[in-house]
């Protein structure tokens, strides 16, 4: 039976790489499918991996109806065995429901890939609906690592070199926006996320560019609560 499967993890855990590998494996066996993405770091209508792999895909807009699209494709004689959805955290909750309907009524496998929580540790609406509706939640085998070497569990947003905990939920990283602020992302373990200790901040704290303060005592707690506005906003 077809399934709706949600592959979720932090950044840098290989979700897009896995999506591309899965799509390749299906095509190699003569199976036909549809590939979608939204807000990929490389631009519109492409799935890209940090390893340098990429593949053209359909760019998901807020107005796109997965159910209508799949029905239209099959009505014109196209056989669809699977649907791959990258950056699914950015999809609308209603679109996740449409994907579930594709699984249940068309018997088509849907594989969704995405981040579960944002830089504020809050669930993305699309990810929340996937957690609620997916047949299976799958964690990629590759673990992203914090700068300290521990397993990374949180995605941190860094604006102009400062970790921030407030702002718009969706801002594509590695870009300079309208305000000309440099936006980057870094994965951290929970304790260093809670202390707002990015790798750059850790090096400043250690006083050396080559030595990181792995001792928790060298990583001071932030002076303001996590909900307060941070530098760089």
């Amino acid at each position: 039976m077809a399934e709706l499967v949600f592959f979720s993890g932090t950044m840098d855990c290989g979700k897009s790489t896995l999506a591309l590998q899965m799509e390749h494996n299906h095509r190699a066996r003569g199976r036909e499918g549809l590939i979608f993405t939204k807000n990929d770091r490389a631009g519109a209508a492409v799935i890209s991996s940090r390893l340098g792999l990429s593949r053209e895909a359909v760019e998901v807009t807020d107005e796109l109806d997965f159910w209508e699209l799949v029905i239209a494709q099959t009505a014109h004689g196209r056989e669809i065995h699977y649907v791959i959805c990258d950056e699914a955290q950015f999809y609308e909750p209603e679109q996740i429901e449409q994907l579930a309907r594709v699984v249940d009524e068309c018997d088509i496998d849907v594989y969704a890939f995405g981040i579960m929580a944002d830089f504020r540790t809050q669930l993305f609406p699309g990810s929340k609906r996937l957690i609620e509706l997916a047949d299976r939640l799958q964690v990629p085998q590759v673990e992203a690592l914090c700068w300290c070497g521990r397993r990374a569990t949180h995605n941190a947003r860094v604006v102009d070199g400062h970790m921030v905990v407030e702002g718009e939920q969706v801002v594509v990283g590695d870009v300079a926006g309208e305000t000309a602020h440099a936006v980057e992302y870094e994965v951290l373990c929970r304790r260093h996320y809670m202390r707002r200790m990015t790798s750059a901040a850790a090096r400043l704290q250690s006083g050396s560019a080559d030595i990181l303060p792995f001792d928790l005592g060298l990583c001071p707690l932030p002076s303001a609560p996590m909900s307060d506005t941070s530098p760089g906003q």
Side-chain angles (χ1 to χ4, degrees):
M1 296 177 61
E3 287 185 306
L4 172 58
V5 186
F6 182 28
F7 295 85
S8 184
T10 62
M11 297 179 301
D12 296 336
C13 73
K15 296 183 301 299
S16 294
T17 302
L18 180 58
L20 292 169
Q21 181 66 56
M22 183 174 288
E23 197 275 333
H24 169 77
N25 290 348
H26 280 277
R27 280 193 297 109
R29 296 298 177 263
R31 292 166 59 84
E32 295 290 333
L34 298 172
I35 316 166
F36 298 92
T37 190
K38 185 175 185 179
N39 295 337
D40 189 278
R41 72 185 72 83
V46 63
I47 295 178
S48 68
S49 164
R50 284 183 171 82
L51 296 181
L53 305 173
S54 64
R55 174 85 159 79
E56 291 183 0
V58 177
E59 183 72 15
V60 175
T61 64
D62 292 345
E63 295 74 29
L64 185 145
D65 189 310
F66 286 101
W67 171 255
E68 292 184 356
L69 188 150
V70 169
I71 292 301
Q73 292 283 320
T74 55
H76 285 82
R78 180 172 183 180
E79 192 171 14
I80 300 175
H81 299 104
Y82 64 91
V83 174
I84 288 179
C85 298
D86 199 26
E87 307 293 355
Q89 72 271 12
F90 297 137
Y91 298 5
E92 296 297 316
E94 295 78 8
Q95 292 174 320
I96 303 303
E97 295 170 10
Q98 294 159 11
L99 290 170
R101 187 181 180 189
V102 167
V103 173
D104 294 339
E105 300 190 28
C106 298
D107 200 31
I108 295 173
D109 287 309
V110 174
Y111 306 107
F113 300 80
I115 295 169
M116 194 172 293
D118 64 18
F119 71 104
R120 303 166 299 183
T121 70
Q122 297 178 9
L123 291 175
F124 285 96
S127 298
K128 180 178 183 294
R129 201 67 182 122
L130 274 164
I131 293 170
E132 295 165 344
L133 295 182
D135 296 294
R136 281 192 294 128
L137 301 179
Q138 195 84 21
V139 178
Q141 292 184 348
V142 176
E143 291 186 348
L145 299 178
C146 177
W147 57 263
C148 68
R150 292 181 175 85
R151 183 171 70 90
T153 54
H154 292 69
N155 304 295
R157 179 181 291 175
V158 180
V159 178
D160 294 337
H162 299 282
M163 178 178 161
V164 298
V165 293
E166 289 190 352
E168 294 293 327
Q169 185 174 54
V170 179
V171 176
V172 180
D174 306 321
V175 297
E178 295 180 359
T179 59
H181 292 304
V183 179
E184 299 175 312
Y185 290 89
E186 182 176 349
V187 292
L188 300 173
C189 65
R190 184 179 62 240
R191 75 173 189 170
H192 286 128
Y193 175 88
M194 297 298 290
R195 289 173 179 260
R196 305 185 199 180
M197 186 61 64
T198 64
S199 57
R203 288 189 173 89
L204 286 175
Q205 186 70 25
S206 72
S208 169
D210 301 318
I211 301 174
L212 291 172
F214 296 104
D215 187 347
L216 185 61
L218 295 179
C219 302
L221 287 168
S223 56
M226 292 298 292
S227 59
D228 289 351
T229 303
S230 299
Q233 278 300 104

